[in-house]
Amino acid sequence: MAEVRARAPGKIILSGEHAVVHGSTAVAAAIDLCTHVSFRLDPPLPPENGDGSVELELTDMGLVFSWSSSRLKEVLGDGFADSSTPVSCSPGRIKLIAALVEEQNIPEAKIWLSSGVSCFLYLYTSIQGYKRGKVVVTSDLPLGSGLGSSASFCVSLVGALLALSDAMSVDTSQTEWFKFSKNELELVNRWAFEGEKIIHGKPSGIDNTVSTFGGMIQFRLGELTHIKSGAPLRMLITNTKVGRNTKALVAGVSERASRHPDAMASVFTAVDFISKELSAIIQAPAQDDISITAREEKIEELMEMNQGLLQCMGVSHAAIETVLRTTLKYKLASKLTGAGGGGCVLTLLPTLLPSTVADKVIAELDSCGFQCLKAEVGGRGLEICFS
Ligand SMILES: Nc1ncnc2c1ncn2[C@@H]1O[C@H](COP(=O)(O)OP(=O)(O)O)[C@@H](O)[C@H]1O
Ligand SMILES: C[C@@](O)(CCOP(=O)(O)O)CC(=O)O
Ligand SMILES: [Mg+2]
């Protein structure tokens, strides 16, 4: 029996969500809220004892799913991907997987989990075949709120599955949390992107990339550049608690873009400039109060401009607008983060903002029924542990 644990962070997008799917630059950072996966790979059973099963436990939801290895083989067949070469899930395979997920009778109220469970089955069977084993998942992140729970689920799951596969030659005697090598992380990221496709439809890859590598990144067309903030950046995250689905929102923006190609191309270009400018400002050092304030004023203005363009793409929401109005009363700038349509909003908390004002704005947001989250920005990516 072999066992491994993996954890991978969620993220905030500081600029460029949606537009990044259409080729614009975006800026994102890891946050210290993670998805945690533990994976136990069991030895094969003697033939007289059957063939065992693949199990998924979603502890936070109190749900356990199980498929016998023979059922998986019957439906999905013998043909396997090589775990060291990520491949996309074909439309035919996704239908077969959806049927296997349906057999599990997910409660109607949690039907939104189906895409995550399909993603699990695809990644598990692609990397581990039908070997019997159990995966247990817990998450610090609110699911479906714009903080990249889908990508952190994919990255932590792939990290654990690959750690016990032939594709990696890791030292399993390590008992401390450790990071994969750069090449190994790249393999994780490519598989996680294939998983994210099952959940998002057409992902840009920014969420799985920042979850895998951590820190803060500038991202465009699959290319990442690591960036470092020249001064501390404090963000308040407000969860409107309005549920939404990234796949539908991404599809909605694409439909708008096909109805108004020239206008939307200009919107995406404007976002590209905003993200590049934001990235440069974030990286510029600022030490004294005057330069810190000037830097933060520019960041605030760019956040507001980005928010205006997100409204233009049709992904804001009445609850998001309420957060914007509330924070503006305190002269604070905000923008939605992630796919929008509800979910989370970011507010810059300037360095010189008195803590009494921050407390007041948080209390007012709380009183509207929203939930304010405190998260460290720009921290660690995927980590693995064998103890
Ligand atoms: N811990 C988890 N367990 C199972 N599925 C998950 C988990 N985290 C995310 N998912 C899947 O990802 C979906 C949410 O992803 P998405 O709509 O992209 O929002 P976000 O990535 O902003 O949280 C969920 O509906 C579920 O299918
Ligand atoms: C809207 C988008 O830019 C980010 C979606 O983030 P989230 O799933 O809402 O956390 C989509 C993507 O880049 O894949
Ligand atoms: Mg997502």
Side-chain angles (χ1 to χ4, degrees):
M1 190 183 82
E3 209 159 350
V4 68
R5 283 186 292 155
R7 63 183 180 206
K11 59 91 233 259
I12 51 173
I13 297 185
L14 294 152
S15 167
E17 49 276 271
H18 288 291
V20 67
V21 175
H22 300 267
S24 302
T25 307
V27 179
I31 55 176
D32 63 343
L33 300 173
C34 290
T35 302
H36 307 260
V37 166
S38 74
F39 171 41
R40 191 190 72 214
L41 189 59
D42 298 318
L45 288 169
E48 64 275 18
N49 291 1
D51 59 356
S53 61
V54 170
E55 241 178 81
L56 170 65
E57 180 181 320
L58 302 180
T59 311
D60 304 328
M61 259 74 69
L63 294 172
V64 181
F65 307 106
S66 174
W67 300 265
S68 71
S69 299
S70 53
R71 178 72 184 135
L72 292 176
K73 196 171 176 182
E74 180 192 5
V75 175
L76 299 176
D78 279 326
F80 275 127
D82 162 9
S83 58
S84 58
T85 315
V87 281
S88 302
C89 188
S90 67
R93 199 170 183 85
I94 202 66
K95 272 200 192 127
L96 298 174
I97 288 177
L100 287 163
V101 172
E102 221 164 280
E103 287 169 11
Q104 298 289 313
N105 297 319
I106 298 179
E108 196 49 45
K110 298 206 168 100
I111 206 68
W112 43 272
L113 279 172
S114 310
S115 60
V117 180
S118 291
C119 171
F120 163 81
L121 267 186
Y122 180 63
L123 294 172
Y124 191 102
T125 54
S126 301
I127 297 172
Q128 288 292 345
Y130 307 135
K131 289 184 194 156
R132 63 193 198 103
K134 178 167 181 171
V135 169
V136 179
V137 183
T138 62
S139 187
D140 309 328
L141 290 156
L143 270 51
S145 301
L147 298 183
S149 78
S150 58
S152 85
F153 174 70
C154 294
V155 172
S156 50
L157 177 60
V158 169
L161 293 171
L162 281 176
L164 299 185
S165 79
D166 299 336
M168 301 253 181
S169 50
V170 285
D171 174 8
T172 55
S173 66
Q174 304 183 70
T175 51
E176 302 282 305
W177 287 96
F178 70 96
K179 262 171 50 173
F180 281 139
S181 67
K182 188 169 173 284
N183 284 345
E184 289 166 339
L185 285 175
E186 267 158 19
L187 179 63
V188 170
N189 195 31
R190 285 168 58 210
W191 269 122
F193 182 59
E194 296 306 334
E196 184 79 327
K197 278 188 190 165
I198 295 176
I199 302 176
H200 276 199
K202 191 187 165 203
S204 64
I206 190 170
D207 288 7
N208 49 280
T209 300
V210 75
S211 179
T212 302
F213 295 98
M216 199 180 278
I217 65 167
Q218 184 179 325
F219 184 94
R220 183 176 174 268
L221 293 173
E223 291 293 314
L224 91 149
T225 313
H226 290 280
I227 63 174
K228 232 179 138 48
S229 187
L233 203 55
R234 272 200 310 158
M235 288 286 173
L236 175 68
I237 302 173
T238 304
N239 188 357
T240 61
K241 298 197 223 157
V242 174
R244 68 335 150 263
N245 167 301
T246 299
K247 188 175 184 174
L249 285 151
V250 168
V253 173
S254 291
E255 282 158 23
R256 186 171 283 203
S258 58
R259 283 193 299 276
H260 312 284
D262 296 339
M264 289 293 278
S266 302
V267 170
F268 298 144
T269 302
V271 174
D272 185 60
F273 281 112
I274 289 171
S275 296
K276 284 188 202 144
E277 201 180 327
L278 182 75
S279 172
I281 293 164
I282 285 176
Q283 292 178 77
Q287 273 112 19
D288 57 282
D289 284 357
I290 294 176
S291 59
I292 286 172
T293 303
R295 167 189 193 259
E296 289 173 346
E297 281 171 358
K298 285 186 199 152
I299 294 174
E300 285 177 325
E301 192 163 32
L302 290 168
M303 284 171 67
E304 283 174 347
M305 288 162 72
N306 191 183
Q307 173 62 29
L309 294 168
L310 285 159
Q311 275 157 3
C312 201
M313 292 177 214
V315 295
S316 196
H317 183 274
I320 293 174
E321 305 293 326
T322 303
V323 177
L324 301 182
R325 266 199 319 277
T326 307
T327 59
L328 199 57
K329 280 202 268 176
Y330 299 85
K331 298 197 168 51
L332 299 175
S334 304
K335 69 172 277 289
L336 68 83
T337 190
C344 289
V345 179
L346 290 182
T347 305
L348 180 78
L349 295 177
T351 311
L352 299 180
L353 184 76
S355 61
T356 47
V357 178
D359 291 344
K360 260 191 175 170
V361 77
I362 290 171
E364 188 165 342
L365 289 166
D366 278 345
S367 74
C368 298
F370 305 138
Q371 184 194 15
C372 294
L373 300 167
K374 285 208 180 93
E376 288 297 317
V377 173
R380 289 191 276 242
L382 170 68
E383 291 180 308
I384 305 290
C385 179
F386 284 108
S387 67

